[in-house]
């Protein structure tokens, strides 16, 4: 493939990597003079017409995702027996490579990276696109430390159905949800399970479930208890351990409902690690007689806990309890001394201290799908601030209508506080007028249509006694007609 030119514009420069479905190459785009990544499907997959049809639908759908933390898809093409996707080339390494090279991340950095991944997932989920293969290998990290999620919509096309996906590779099964390894229905909450596994690995440098083959790993996803990430590292706050545990619940009903809710809990822990963000469903207690019957296993076998590991966990839990109690006692003594001093100096403390907080909060309304002129008046009337309003094109939502909001409706926001109400308003369809031909050559017109105006172009050739070879005869729709980019 090296040296081959695809689509008359992408010249293959080198191979970047290969997987079960495709091989990824670095290529150069002659029209835009930039380097891109091209994922070429394996030839055996190209023989399945039904799969190729779904691939086209899903790849074009994924190409509509524009987000700073999603690898952008530029183009989809076919050439003889090759089917390929052209996408953004990320100058960096995968999250998996960074974990392998550097080990566990500081929890603050891991939370920051995962919040951006959640933002990307929420963008996809609101458009009905489920990733189905979230794992560190599919998350690229730029030189600046920004995560970019790759392969949106592509994992979905590998299934025999639109809502299920067979997981049969060692790499993917380590991050697959229980319903996914059973071959059942998968949805946004399946992605959030994989997010939990990924976050666990970011924080510990290892996988929560391992085995000799995909089947043994799959069984552990279904049967084994959910491990606590804060048991592995003493510096990880319990609140973050709760978040990871909630993501990894066997029953999807016990997980986060949306990536936005997960984002908000991660943000709360980043601001205050001691905060209690969620309630985890009760986990069945392990029978003590079973624990006493455990025998040491060979080193490297991660199928069961040993007696020693349970004793270590008990000691760790005991240490975790002692230090908070000592802090509480010490703080109590300090508070008592301060109160006595103040009472001695000011005989009437109640008259000099405020009795209520001056903080004012407001409940956020549901603004999505409503005209911004109406929403703006409602926000002003409620006194909500600060407010950040951004505008973007949207092929579905009418101009002037709210597309997204954060925080979601029902959330509380402190007026003039640290949190900002973010509103995204539609600019309507991004229409452009079909240009005049003016006897342009094929190459010149294609550059204008594809690169300047962002249109999809289908070319057809025919004989002509009036026009020279490679000259454009006509356009459909005709020049002057407005079309959506």
């Amino acid at each position: 493939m090296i040296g081959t030119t695809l689509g008359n514009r992408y010249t293959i420069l080198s191979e970047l990597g290969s997987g079960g479905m495709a091989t990824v190459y670095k290529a150069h785009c002659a029209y835009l003079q930039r380097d891109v990544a091209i994922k070429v499907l394996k030839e055996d997959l190209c023989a399945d017409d039904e799969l190729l049809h779904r691939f086209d639908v899903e790849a074009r759908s994924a190409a509509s995702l524009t987000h700073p933390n999603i690898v952008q898809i530029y183009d989809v093409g076919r050439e003889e027996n090759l089917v390929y996707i052209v996408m953004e080339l990320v100058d960096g390494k995968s999250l998996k490579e960074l974990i392998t090279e550097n080990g566990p991340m500081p929890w603050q950095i891991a939370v920051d990276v995962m919040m951006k991944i959640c933002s990307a997932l929420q963008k996809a989920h609101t458009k009905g696109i489920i990733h189905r293969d979230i794992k560190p290998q599919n998350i690229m990290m730029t030189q600046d430390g920004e995560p970019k999620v790759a392969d949106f919509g592509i994992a979905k096309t590998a299934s025999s159905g639109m809502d299920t996906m067979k997981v049969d590779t060692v790499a993917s099964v380590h991050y697959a949800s229980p319903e996914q390894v059973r071959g059942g229905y998968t949805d946004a909450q399946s992605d959030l399970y994989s997010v939990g596994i990924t976050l666990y690995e970011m924080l510990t440098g290892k996988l929560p479930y391992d085995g000799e083959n995909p089947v043994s790993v799959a069984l552990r996803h279904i049967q084994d208890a959910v491990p606590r990430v804060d048991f592995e590292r003493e510096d990880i706050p319990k609140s973050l351990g709760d978040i990871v545990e909630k993501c990894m619940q066997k029953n999807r009903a016990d997980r986060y409902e949306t990536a936005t809710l997960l984002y908000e809990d991660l943000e709360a822990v980043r601001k205050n690690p001691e905060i209690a963000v969620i309630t985890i469903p009760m986990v069945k207690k392990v029978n003590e007689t079973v624990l006493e019957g455990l025998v040491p296993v060979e080193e490297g076998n991660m199928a069961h806990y040993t007696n020693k590991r349970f004793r270590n966990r008990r000691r760790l839990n005991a240490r975790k309890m002692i230090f908070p109690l000592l802090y509480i006692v010490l703080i109590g003594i300090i508070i008592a001394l301060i109160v006595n001093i103040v009472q001695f100096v000011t005989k009437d403390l109640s008259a000099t201290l405020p009795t209520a907080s001056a903080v004012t909060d407001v409940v956020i309304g549901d603004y999505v799908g409503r005209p911004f002129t109406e929403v703006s008046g409602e926000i002003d009337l409620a006194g909500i601030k600060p407010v950040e309003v951004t505008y973007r094109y949207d092929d579905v939502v009418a101009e002037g209508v709210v597309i997204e909001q954060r925080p979601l409706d029902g959330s509380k926001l402190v007026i003039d506080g640290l949190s900002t109400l973010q509103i995204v308003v539609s600019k309507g369809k991004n229409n452009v007028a079909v240009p005049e031909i003016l006897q342009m050559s094929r190459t010149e017109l294609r550059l204008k249509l594809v690169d300047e105006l962002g249109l999809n172009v289908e070319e057809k050739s025919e004989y002509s006694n009036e026009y020279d070879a490679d000259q454009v005869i006509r356009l459909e729709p005709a020049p002057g007609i407005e079309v959506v980019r």
Side-chain angles (χ1 to χ4, degrees):
M1 287 291 294
I2 309 300
T4 302
T5 299
L6 300 178
N8 201 29
R9 64 188 292 184
Y10 306 110
T11 302
I12 305 296
L13 301 178
S14 61
E15 181 177 326
L16 297 176
S18 182
M21 282 187 63
T23 302
V24 182
Y25 298 93
K26 179 180 179 180
H28 184 73
C29 176
Y31 285 172
L32 296 181
Q33 292 297 308
R34 66 181 177 188
D35 290 339
V36 296
I38 295 187
K39 182 183 286 283
V40 180
L41 288 188
K42 295 293 178 66
E43 289 189 17
D44 56 338
L45 295 176
C46 296
D48 188 336
D49 291 336
E50 183 182 354
L51 184 146
L52 289 180
H53 173 70
R54 290 199 305 272
F55 170 82
D56 282 341
V57 173
E58 292 302 326
R60 294 182 190 281
S61 179
S64 68
L65 293 175
T66 302
H67 190 280
N69 300 114
I70 294 177
V71 174
Q72 182 67 46
I73 293 180
Y74 297 140
D75 195 6
V76 179
R78 298 190 190 186
E79 190 161 313
E80 297 180 355
N81 60 337
L82 295 178
V83 178
Y84 60 89
I85 305 170
V86 183
M87 63 188 72
E88 174 186 1
L89 178 65
V90 179
D91 182 17
K93 298 181 178 181
S94 72
L95 181 57
K96 184 71 174 182
E97 290 175 306
L98 291 181
I99 295 173
T100 301
E101 293 174 6
N102 304 319
M105 293 183 176
W107 70 263
Q108 296 89 341
I109 295 178
V111 166
D112 183 67
V113 169
M114 189 52 69
M115 285 173 63
K116 294 173 182 176
I117 294 172
C118 287
S119 178
L121 284 176
Q122 184 62 27
K123 177 63 177 286
H125 292 168
T126 55
K127 286 183 171 286
I129 299 174
I130 312 302
H131 193 289
R132 288 177 168 81
D133 199 20
I134 290 291
K135 57 188 178 185
Q137 293 90 329
N138 281 338
I139 299 170
M140 299 301 297
M141 301 295 295
T142 68
Q143 297 288 353
D144 298 328
E146 288 291 314
K148 284 184 174 285
V149 184
D151 281 358
F152 263 106
I154 298 170
K156 190 173 183 179
T157 64
S159 67
S160 58
M162 296 302 286
D163 295 316
T164 62
M165 174 182 167
K166 182 179 179 183
V167 180
D168 54 7
T169 63
V170 176
S172 293
V173 77
H174 282 106
Y175 307 90
S177 63
E179 63 269 18
Q180 199 170 354
V181 298
R182 291 191 187 101
Y185 176 84
T186 54
D187 56 11
Q189 288 171 295
S190 305
D191 278 353
L192 297 184
Y193 181 93
S194 302
V195 163
I197 301 287
T198 300
L199 183 53
Y200 184 99
E201 186 175 5
M202 292 166 69
L203 293 167
T204 65
K206 62 183 181 180
L207 292 160
Y209 305 124
D210 206 352
E212 297 178 353
N213 53 60
V215 174
S216 62
V217 177
L219 288 175
R220 296 196 64 187
H221 280 291
I222 297 171
Q223 299 173 355
D224 281 18
V226 179
R228 293 284 304 189
V229 70
D230 48 324
F231 288 174
E232 299 292 338
R233 281 174 52 186
E234 294 187 21
D235 65 315
I236 294 179
K238 178 183 180 300
S239 54
L240 184 54
D242 289 342
I243 290 175
V244 177
E245 186 176 11
K246 187 174 179 68
C247 289
M248 293 171 55
Q249 290 299 298
K250 311 296 182 186
N251 186 345
R252 59 158 54 90
D254 295 330
R255 300 175 206 151
Y256 285 94
E257 293 182 13
T258 65
T260 296
L261 294 176
L262 172 55
Y263 177 99
E264 290 173 352
D265 274 0
L266 288 169
E267 185 177 36
V269 170
R270 184 178 65 173
K271 292 178 179 177
N272 179 12
E274 302 303 320
I275 194 172
V277 290
I278 52 177
T279 302
I280 297 295
M282 290 296 292
V283 180
K284 295 180 180 179
K285 292 184 178 179
V286 182
N287 192 318
E288 290 297 331
T289 58
V290 174
L291 295 184
E292 293 172 1
L294 288 174
V295 295
V297 297
E298 295 180 4
E299 184 178 357
N301 183 351
M302 299 181 65
H304 300 285
Y305 290 110
T306 62
N307 286 334
K308 180 178 179 181
R309 185 165 185 177
F310 275 104
R311 287 196 299 271
N312 289 341
R313 283 198 173 186
R314 290 190 185 114
R315 292 192 191 103
L316 180 58
N317 287 338
R319 288 199 301 270
K320 283 193 171 186
M321 290 297 295
I322 291 172
F323 287 111
L325 287 174
L326 290 176
Y327 287 134
I328 291 172
V329 172
L330 181 60
I331 291 171
I333 294 172
I334 293 172
I335 291 175
L337 289 173
I338 292 173
V339 170
N340 286 333
I341 293 172
V342 172
Q343 286 179 336
F344 177 77
V345 175
T346 66
K347 296 182 180 179
D348 191 5
L349 180 64
S350 60
T352 59
L353 293 179
T355 57
S357 173
V359 174
T360 303
D361 56 27
V362 63
V363 177
I364 301 299
D366 186 2
Y367 308 131
V368 175
R370 297 169 55 192
F372 180 64
T373 52
E374 174 186 318
V375 169
S376 177
E378 187 175 311
I379 290 173
D380 291 341
L381 187 63
I384 299 174
K385 55 182 177 178
V387 179
E388 178 184 315
V389 181
T390 56
Y391 295 83
R392 72 161 184 250
Y393 292 108
D394 193 285
D395 294 341
V396 178
V397 182
E399 182 178 359
V401 174
V402 176
I403 305 173
E404 296 176 10
Q405 70 176 81
R406 184 175 293 137
L408 300 179
D409 62 288
S411 303
K412 286 187 177 181
L413 185 142
V414 177
I415 295 177
D416 283 329
L418 297 177
S419 298
T420 301
L421 173 59
Q422 297 174 324
I423 301 288
V424 181
V425 181
S426 173
K427 295 170 65 175
K429 294 183 178 180
N430 193 3
N431 290 353
V432 293
V434 178
E436 294 290 342
I437 298 174
L438 299 177
Q439 306 214 342
M440 291 184 184
S441 68
R442 166 190 170 275
T443 303
E444 182 183 2
L445 182 61
R446 186 177 181 89
L447 278 169
K448 186 173 187 64
L449 293 175
V450 176
D451 298 323
E452 290 185 22
L453 302 181
L455 298 177
N456 293 323
V457 176
E458 179 183 351
E459 296 181 18
K460 294 183 180 180
S461 300
E462 63 183 50
Y463 291 104
S464 173
N465 294 326
E466 183 180 354
Y467 294 90
D468 294 334
D470 206 35
Q471 221 175 25
V472 179
I473 298 174
R474 63 181 176 275
L475 291 179
E476 298 176 4
I481 293 179
E482 287 198 350
V483 294
V484 179
R485 287 184 188 269

